[in-house]
Amino acid sequence: MSNSVVQLLESSPKITQDRPYHLFTLSAKSTATLQKLAERYQTFLSNSSDLTLADLCFTANTKRSHLNHRLAIIAQSLPQLQDQLHRFCESETPKGIISGQTSPHAKLNPIVFLFTGQGSQYLNMGRVLYDTQPTFRRILDQCNEILYPLLDCSLLSVLYPENSEDTKLHQTAYTQPALFALEYALAQLW
């Protein structure tokens, strides 16, 4: 790796903040069971002080089966999540709460991604993800390293220039690799 790439990586901000929002999901076999599960989580949160929102959401989202009756809550903090769970249990559906039922006969389709093409780019796109998500950052850094010999500058300096008047991102030679790298990093993150 060239010295300028190493310098850019070393000068890049370290990941110090958590993502601003978290997605908390639950599912159950019936609406009543989903409500009881939400109540259990609400009680659990009122008795727990040593957990993080990120850990709770990760566990709830990945360690449970995905059944037909579903609940999704967007939260920024544990108290907000607890409040949203309370509102759901009281049959309220404010902003940030989504619930519903999937069809019991629904066929699971494969997940596909469709990304926009040239013309959708803008300076600092994906910057919050780069600063907060280790997977996204690692993949974008790898793309930067691979593309560095092919471009006359760092891909990261194209996406995240120090001078906002730098227009390399709007030149096709830079736009196409930048969009691909960003989209690939997003797919790996998701």
Side-chain angles (χ1 to χ4, degrees):
M1 192 170 4
S2 74
N3 285 340
S4 59
V5 172
V6 171
Q7 289 171 341
L8 181 64
L9 291 175
E10 288 174 350
S11 67
S12 296
K14 302 299 178 228
I15 299 169
T16 57
Q17 67 184 47
D18 193 10
R19 65 184 70 139
Y21 293 95
H22 292 270
L23 179 64
F24 176 81
T25 61
L26 295 177
S27 67
K29 291 184 179 181
S30 69
T31 303
T33 308
L34 183 62
Q35 183 121 6
K36 287 178 186 171
L37 184 59
E39 289 170 2
R40 287 198 343 239
Y41 267 96
Q42 182 187 358
T43 302
F44 173 74
L45 285 173
S46 65
N47 297 323
S48 300
S49 62
D50 61 338
L51 58 101
T52 66
L53 180 61
D55 290 342
L56 179 70
C57 290
F58 175 81
T59 302
N61 297 348
T62 61
K63 303 298 181 185
R64 299 184 50 85
S65 298
H66 299 290
L67 304 171
N68 291 344
H69 295 265
R70 299 185 181 184
L71 170 66
I73 297 176
I74 300 167
Q76 291 182 286
S77 66
L78 286 169
Q80 183 184 25
L81 176 60
Q82 188 175 7
D83 179 62
Q84 296 287 60
L85 285 167
H86 173 75
R87 290 171 179 257
F88 174 75
C89 293
E90 297 293 319
S91 300
E92 296 178 32
T93 54
K95 185 177 178 183
I97 296 179
I98 302 151
S99 66
Q101 179 181 0
T102 63
S103 169
H105 306 293
K107 180 181 144 190
L108 294 178
N109 293 318
I111 295 174
V112 298
F113 298 114
L114 175 64
F115 293 108
T116 60
Q118 189 165 342
S120 62
Q121 73 277 3
Y122 57 92
L123 293 179
N124 292 310
M125 62 183 176
R127 185 61 194 237
V128 171
L129 290 174
Y130 186 78
D131 290 342
T132 63
Q133 301 304 305
T135 300
F136 184 86
R137 182 185 183 100
R138 180 177 45 80
I139 298 298
L140 210 52
D141 287 346
Q142 286 175 351
C143 289
N144 180 56
E145 188 175 336
I146 291 166
L147 291 168
Y148 191 81
L150 304 172
L151 302 174
D152 62 354
C153 63
S154 162
L155 178 67
L156 296 176
S157 69
V158 172
L159 287 167
Y160 313 126
E162 290 182 22
N163 179 357
S164 63
E165 294 177 14
D166 188 343
T167 59
K168 285 186 179 177
L169 184 59
H170 300 294
Q171 297 172 25
T172 303
Y174 301 102
T175 304
Q176 294 297 322
L179 286 173
F180 171 81
L182 186 89
E183 293 162 357
Y184 178 64
L186 276 172
Q188 292 302 307
L189 174 66
W190 292 334

